[in-house]
Amino acid sequence: MNLLYLLCISFIPFTTMIMGRYARFLDADLMFGLNIIFIVVLLAIIFTYTDRTKIIEEDLIKNKKNIYATLIIISVLTFIVTGLNYSIPGHYIYLYLIIPIISSVRDIMYRKKMDDEISA
């Protein structure tokens, strides 16, 4: 599972280059979107596997709902952006920049919640 995940990660520069070089062709954007979707799905599978086999760290078990919710949000956003960019020509590809922002904001919110629980 990790090797497949790393394989998809290693394709990011390639799909980005294809998307930049052949921006007029929607298939290039679709290839990038599918790569991101595969990464998120494989990350969810790896996290589920480590959760079920109990080899996951205690801090992540507490954060399990937040992690699954973030993965679902990123997956849905990736499907939407890929679909919009593939079906309606435009600059929807820039919406991929929202993904790290969403992940970071959710992480900050979770850490603040944990700090509030510890101090209470």
Side-chain angles (χ1 to χ4, degrees):
M1 285 185 280
N2 280 331
L3 288 176
L4 287 174
Y5 175 73
L6 291 174
L7 178 71
C8 288
I9 293 290
S10 68
F11 275 136
I12 287 177
F14 173 72
T15 56
T16 304
M17 181 208 50
I18 294 293
M19 189 174 56
R21 192 171 285 174
Y22 301 104
R24 296 182 310 244
F25 301 105
L26 296 175
D27 291 339
D29 296 338
L30 181 65
M31 184 186 302
F32 179 80
L34 288 174
N35 190 29
I36 298 297
I37 289 170
F38 288 147
I39 289 169
V40 172
V41 167
L42 285 169
L43 189 60
I45 290 170
I46 290 169
F47 185 74
T48 303
Y49 173 77
T50 56
D51 182 36
R52 288 188 180 163
T53 57
K54 308 295 184 211
I55 57 175
I56 199 167
E57 290 184 23
E58 191 67 31
D59 289 343
L60 290 177
I61 292 173
K62 294 177 188 174
N63 194 11
K64 183 169 44 173
K65 286 183 181 179
N66 187 42
I67 291 171
Y68 280 124
T70 302
L71 289 174
I72 289 170
I73 289 170
I74 291 172
S75 298
V76 169
L77 181 65
T78 304
F79 276 115
I80 290 170
V81 172
T82 303
L84 284 174
N85 205 31
Y86 193 71
S87 62
I88 304 169
H91 298 288
Y92 293 106
I93 199 73
Y94 296 113
L95 290 176
Y96 281 117
L97 297 174
I98 295 173
I99 292 173
I101 294 170
I102 289 173
S103 182
S104 298
V105 166
R106 290 191 54 81
D107 186 51
I108 291 168
M109 289 171 47
Y110 175 76
R111 289 176 194 260
K112 185 175 187 294
K113 178 182 168 188
M114 295 278 64
D115 290 342
D116 291 345
E117 288 180 6
I118 291 172
S119 63

